[in-house]
């Protein structure tokens, strides 16, 4: 009976944004029989307008596919706090109306954003500690600590009856991050030993040879430059590169 049940069910990955483009990350995972899947969302971000979209500041992913299946949507999981991974929540949550799961720093950024847009009280934000395991619908989720250009970036280990998917979120291997631990290489090895059905990987410079510089090098050089200056110094960076 259990074997027959597994054969009737399927595991789906449906990207609604962020695939083969920078920004606007919006990923669905579904499990269940055809036409009756249970769903989760991983990240729900925006992208920014450029010279090709005059008069448009932000661009949202199209959520129609999952809106039509909202009765089987169990939650939104955020891998980290950059705009291209959470920036669409103030605009699209009313169409989805499900809990949002995030680690404390990401949750704090989201609450601040929602205070600005006025819908902070409506959205249930569930804080998940780093390296935690939790269940959403038919999925068992585990956060795996990685490194990125902001605190608390997480990969998501998604366990289902049909196998494990590892969804990385944004990542790189920084041996000396300024804030937080380095990527959990032991956990990655253990995950590989356990067996992974698929890895859904998001890394901007994945096709560039060589190694990325460490955030610690930026801190060292900025500190040196500023210490040699007289008077006031203004430092500008990407808004959520904290």
């Amino acid at each position: 009976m259990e074997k027959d049940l597994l054969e009737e069910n399927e595991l789906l990955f449906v990207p609604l944004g962020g695939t083969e483009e920078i920004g606007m990350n919006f990923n669905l995972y579904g499990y269940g029989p055809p036409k009756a899947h249970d769903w989760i969302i991983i990240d729900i971000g925006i992208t920014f307008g450029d010279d090709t979209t005059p008069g448009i500041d932000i661009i949202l992913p199209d959520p129609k596919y999952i809106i039509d299946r909202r009765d089987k949507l169990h939650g939104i999981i955020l891998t980290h706090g950059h705009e291209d991974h959470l920036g669409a929540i103030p605009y699209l949550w009313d169409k989805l109306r499900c809990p949002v799961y995030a680690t404390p720093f990401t949750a704090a950024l989201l609450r601040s954003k929602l205070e600005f847009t006025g819908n902070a009280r409506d959205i249930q934000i569930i804080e998940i500690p780093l390296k935690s395991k939790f269940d959403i619908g038919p999925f068992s989720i585990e956060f795996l600590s990685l490194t990125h250009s902001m605190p608390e970036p997480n990969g998501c280990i998604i366990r289902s009856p049909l196998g494990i998917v590892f969804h990385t979120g944004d990542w790189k291997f920084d041996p000396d991050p300024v804030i937080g631990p380095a990527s959990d290489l032991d956990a990655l090895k253990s995950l590989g030993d356990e067996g992974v059905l698929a890895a859904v990987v998001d890394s901007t410079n994945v096709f560039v040879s060589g190694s990325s510089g460490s955030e610690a090098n930026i801190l060292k050089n900025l500190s040196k430059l500023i210490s040699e200056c007289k008077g006031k110094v203004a430092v500008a960076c990407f808004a959520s590169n904290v």
Side-chain angles (χ1 to χ4, degrees):
M1 178 67 72
E2 183 178 349
K3 181 179 178 181
D4 291 341
L5 182 61
L6 288 177
E7 289 177 349
E8 291 176 1
N9 293 332
E10 56 186 3
L11 176 62
L12 302 181
F13 168 61
V14 183
L16 299 184
T19 298
E20 296 187 342
E21 62 184 344
I22 301 297
M24 207 164 63
N25 294 277
F26 192 169
N27 305 285
L28 307 180
Y29 287 92
Y31 174 79
K35 299 183 180 180
H37 304 99
D38 290 280
W39 295 95
I40 58 172
I41 297 172
I42 294 189
D43 291 330
I44 177 168
I46 62 173
T47 194
F48 298 98
D50 57 24
D51 293 341
T52 66
T53 57
I56 298 175
D57 294 323
I58 63 171
I59 302 171
L60 304 174
D62 183 354
K64 184 180 187 306
Y65 180 86
I66 192 60
I67 290 173
D68 293 342
R69 296 157 176 80
R70 190 178 68 182
D71 60 323
K72 300 282 282 182
L73 176 60
H74 294 277
I76 300 167
I77 302 168
L78 301 178
T79 59
H80 65 288
H82 276 147
E83 288 290 297
D84 58 331
H85 290 259
L86 63 69
I89 288 180
Y91 307 99
L92 297 182
W93 186 85
D94 280 345
K95 301 178 184 296
L96 303 171
R97 308 195 73 82
C98 62
V100 178
Y101 298 80
T103 53
F105 182 79
T106 302
L109 288 178
L110 178 59
R111 288 192 183 97
S112 176
K113 177 180 291 293
L114 295 174
E115 289 288 347
F116 180 75
T117 57
N119 53 354
R121 295 182 180 179
D122 299 330
I123 301 179
Q124 181 186 10
I125 301 174
I126 300 172
E127 286 194 17
I128 304 296
L130 291 167
K131 300 185 178 182
S132 288
K133 298 179 181 180
F134 54 104
D135 295 329
I136 305 179
F139 298 101
S140 177
I141 309 296
E142 181 179 355
F143 278 151
L144 192 154
S145 295
L146 298 171
T147 45
H148 185 38
S149 58
M150 77 172 337
E152 297 184 7
N154 302 279
C156 290
I157 302 170
I158 306 167
R159 292 184 170 89
S160 79
L162 290 179
I164 297 173
V165 175
F166 182 45
H167 186 105
T168 66
D170 286 350
W171 67 279
K172 67 175 182 177
F173 289 135
D174 189 336
D176 190 19
V178 175
I179 297 175
S183 296
D184 193 338
L185 300 183
D186 289 338
L188 284 168
K189 183 178 184 303
S190 295
L191 178 62
D193 292 340
E194 185 177 353
V196 176
L197 181 66
V200 179
V201 182
D202 190 350
S203 189
T204 306
N205 294 315
V206 68
F207 297 112
V208 179
S209 299
S211 300
S212 299
S214 172
E215 298 289 312
N217 293 336
I218 300 173
L219 175 63
K220 178 181 178 181
N221 290 327
L222 274 177
S223 299
K224 181 177 183 298
L225 287 170
I226 293 172
S227 69
E228 295 171 351
C229 294
K230 297 181 179 180
K232 295 180 179 179
V233 177
V235 179
C237 66
F238 191 70
S240 53
N241 191 342
V242 180

